[in-house]
Each structure stands twice: as C-alpha cells, then as structure tokens.
Amino acid sequence: MQKIISSLQDTIDFLPDGVLVVTGGSRIEMVNTQAARLFGYPAPQALVGQDLKVLIPERFHHQHENQVTKFFAHPDTRRMGGGRFLFGRRADGTEFDVDIALSPVVFNDTPMVIAVVRDNSVVKDLERAMQWKNEQLEAINTELERFGFTISHDLKSPLANIHAIIHLLTRAIPVAKREELAEHLTQLNHTLYAMSELISGVAAYSKATLADAVDADVSMDAVVTELRYLLLVPPHVELTIAPDLPPTHGNKTKILQVFLNLASNAIKYCNPVQGDVRISGETRGTAAVYRVEDNGPGIPPAMRDKVFTLFEKGTSTRADSQGIGLAIVHKVVSELGGRISIGEGALGGACFEVELPGRVG
C-alpha cells in the first residue's frame, strides 16, 4: 500500500495543476508540489495531516462541511461551484479565485477524493469586469430610454404649437396672398411632419429593447424624402442628390440621422458664395457605399481622424460648431455595422464616404 501511495505521490508531482487527496473527514493525506506553491506553503509536507479548512476562507467553513458530507454520500467525478465563485486561502491569509475538479477514489478501503485545483483569478477577474460592464450598460440604456422618451415628449409639444400657429396665420392671410405663400406653407407643413416622424422614430428606437430592435431593409428614397424636408438649404447652396441610391439594411431613423448630420455639415462648410453639395451612392460587393461631398475648404489629412472625436472641431473657428455631429455620425455608422472615412471629393472640398450593409432581402 505504501508503495502505491509513493507511486501516486510521484505521479501527481508531475502534474501542472495543484492536486490534493482528502479523506471524508477533510484530512489532507497527500499534496503535490504545485498545490503547496499555489497556496503559499514551503513544501507539500506542511499541508499533509491538516484539515482542508486551512485552505478555505473561514466564512465558507460551515458550507464546506455540508458539501463534503453530500459528496461522500454520493461520490462522483464533477466540478465544484456550479457557476459560483470559489475562493482559496493562502498561508498568508490572502484569498484567490480557484477552479476545482473532484474525483472519488478508494485507498485501502478508505473513501477519498482527489481535488485538482487551478488558480482561476485572471478568468474570474475578467468575468467580474464583464458583469460590471453589463450592469453599467444596462443602466446607461435605461437612462437613454428615459432621455429619448423625455426629449420626444418635450419636442412634440412645441411642434404642435407651431402647427397650430401656422394654421391661424393661414386663416389670417388675405386670400390673394395665400396663393402666393401656398408653396412656403406647404413646405412648412411637410417639414413639421418630417420632424414629427423623426422624433417618433427616436422615441421608438430608444424604447426598443435589443430583442425588439430588429433591423430591416431600408429604401433610400424614403430617407431622401424626409432629408429634403428636414434640411434648411440656403439660397446660395445647390443640393444635388443622385436618383436611385442603393438600399441598405439597418434602422431607418439612425440612417436618416447619419445623412442629416453629414448634409447639414456640408451645407455649413461649403463655399459661402456659391455652395455645391452632392450626395451619391453605389453598390460595392455586398455593401452600399454613399458619398456626401461639398466645395468648401476641405479637411486636412492630419485632422481627418480627429474630427470624429467628441468636441473636436478640427480647424473650424465657427461659433455654431460644437464638435458633436461627426462624433455622433461615427458612432451610429459603427452601430450599423458600417464604416466612414474622409477624402478629397471631385468638388474640391471634403468627401465623406459611408459604407453600410447592403439590402438583405
């Protein structure tokens, strides 16, 4: 028997993980060198003969006794923990995460268990970090949902007031003038409708859960129609949008947000005397690629990555530039599974190229 035990000791000393052989009374009968090192003991002999509790934090002692009793009543090969965090205690009293696998054996008619112990601190630290991140993300999503609902509610009220005022103004305008102003009034009503739809879309998106927020194929015709209503194009700027832009796949509200920001930005920074802004697109493999370009001063190569950073305004000194729009665009495009880059366009100014997933259906 002694020869068998000696042979087993030699075998477990070669294993890379910590190994302990323990009786049903929690007495440590055998320890390999790696286990002694793992728990901070100078040699295996320092642990042989001790109660297994010496390697377990005191707050788990009672729980440990119950688990030992249950295991020896129904011994089987298995892992400990069942998804819970397990802790070991070193000789100096410090604790660390462990992963433990158990296997029952019988020596000289005595039931024992071989416990294979591994330091699992790195993995468990990553799990805790991930759990914390998920909790933070859930809190942020809840706050964004609340924010989106509040914003949509607060914006719809003044829109309704504007609509009512326009109706009153229309009734107050002399009949002869109504025909003259009819086009402008119609444009105002279309803009109000498009703005209301955008607000509703933002509210619906912020309210949707991940399970509910199912993307779909998006016709760019519908996006362009709303874009024209929402954009304020000054008289000195010519906006050209190519027909038959390729369809894409994603959330329509987000896609509209991307083009609204890019087009507004192009209009803001194009040539102040005779502005030229163009939106075009093409299918490239399975992707839909769009370009928004202007005839402004452009963006220097050294600044092209920086302008996508929040509050980074590049070389702009305009008072109405907050350095937020392009950061939002970059974030939304990434969420849509696409990418955005800046180059030099045919008009001499900046050219923003947006690549989005193509139509699935």
Side-chain angles (χ1 to χ4, degrees):
M1 183 64 188
Q2 186 61 38
K3 195 172 184 180
I4 295 176
I5 292 176
S6 177
S7 176
L8 178 60
Q9 181 70 55
D10 291 339
T11 301
I12 65 175
D13 275 337
F14 281 107
L15 296 176
D17 293 319
V19 179
L20 302 100
V21 180
V22 184
T23 66
S26 285
R27 184 179 186 274
I28 300 174
E29 298 291 341
M30 199 178 301
V31 181
N32 73 344
T33 304
Q34 180 60 23
R37 186 182 299 118
L38 189 64
F39 286 95
Y41 287 83
Q45 290 74 18
L47 284 170
V48 174
Q50 294 203 53
D51 193 300
L52 186 60
K53 289 180 181 178
V54 73
L55 303 180
I56 300 172
E58 188 173 347
R59 64 184 183 279
F60 297 120
H61 282 185
H62 179 70
Q63 183 179 342
H64 164 71
E65 291 174 359
N66 293 333
Q67 289 175 342
V68 169
T69 301
K70 289 180 180 178
F71 178 83
F72 278 96
H74 303 282
D76 62 338
T77 300
R78 60 181 175 84
R79 306 191 78 84
M80 282 186 64
R84 302 190 306 274
F85 289 98
L86 299 177
F87 299 93
R89 184 176 66 181
R90 298 187 180 94
D92 61 4
T94 58
E95 297 181 9
F96 65 106
D97 292 283
V98 293
D99 181 61
I100 303 175
L102 304 176
S103 181
V105 294
V106 177
F107 286 132
N108 200 22
D109 297 326
T110 303
M112 296 186 187
V113 59
I114 297 177
V116 179
V117 185
R118 180 175 295 176
D119 186 341
N120 209 26
S121 300
V122 174
V123 174
K124 291 302 181 182
D125 284 345
L126 288 174
E127 286 183 8
R128 291 188 188 93
M130 185 65 71
Q131 182 178 346
W132 183 83
K133 290 280 188 184
N134 288 338
E135 290 172 354
Q136 292 294 106
L137 184 60
E138 186 176 345
I140 291 171
N141 286 338
T142 300
E143 188 60 32
L144 285 175
E145 180 181 336
R146 187 182 299 114
F147 177 76
F149 178 79
T150 302
I151 290 297
S152 65
H153 178 271
D154 291 348
L155 287 180
K156 278 190 173 182
S157 180
L159 278 181
N161 290 339
I162 293 172
H163 186 79
I165 291 170
I166 291 174
H167 180 69
L168 291 173
L169 284 175
T170 303
R171 293 179 59 184
I173 294 173
V175 175
K177 282 284 186 181
R178 287 183 193 175
E179 293 183 5
E180 183 181 334
L181 298 174
E183 183 179 347
H184 299 300
L185 292 172
T186 300
Q187 182 68 25
L188 270 175
N189 282 317
H190 282 321
T191 302
L192 284 172
Y193 174 78
M195 193 65 188
S196 180
E197 287 294 295
L198 179 60
I199 291 170
S200 297
V202 170
Y205 181 81
S206 65
K207 185 178 180 181
T209 63
L210 290 177
D212 295 331
V214 178
D215 292 337
D217 288 339
V218 177
S219 165
M220 290 303 293
D221 290 339
V223 173
V224 167
T225 298
E226 292 190 35
L227 182 65
R228 288 189 180 278
Y229 288 141
L230 293 170
L231 280 174
L232 178 61
V233 183
H236 74 279
V237 176
E238 181 179 357
L239 172 64
T240 304
I241 302 178
D244 301 323
L245 292 176
T248 183
H249 187 83
N251 180 277
K252 180 188 171 187
T253 300
K254 279 192 168 189
I255 294 168
L256 175 59
Q257 186 181 19
V258 167
F259 285 93
L260 184 58
N261 271 281
L262 290 178
S264 297
N265 200 64
I267 290 170
K268 183 189 296 185
Y269 292 104
C270 67
N271 188 292
V273 178
Q274 184 58 54
D276 193 354
V277 176
R278 299 179 189 176
I279 300 175
S280 58
E282 63 184 16
T283 299
R284 188 181 298 167
T286 59
V289 180
Y290 309 94
R291 285 176 294 276
V292 180
E293 51 190 313
D294 60 68
N295 65 340
I299 300 175
M303 298 300 302
R304 289 175 184 173
D305 289 332
K306 296 180 180 179
V307 295
F308 293 120
T309 304
L310 192 63
F311 304 126
E312 175 60 63
K313 298 189 288 187
T315 57
S316 174
T317 57
R318 292 178 58 119
D320 58 349
S321 177
Q322 292 84 31
I324 296 176
L326 291 180
I328 292 175
V329 167
H330 185 271
K331 182 176 184 295
V332 172
V333 169
S334 297
E335 290 175 353
L336 289 167
R339 59 182 181 177
I340 182 170
S341 59
I342 307 173
E344 296 177 8
L347 302 179
C351 176
F352 288 83
E353 184 173 281
V354 179
E355 181 177 319
L356 296 175
R359 182 173 58 189
V360 175

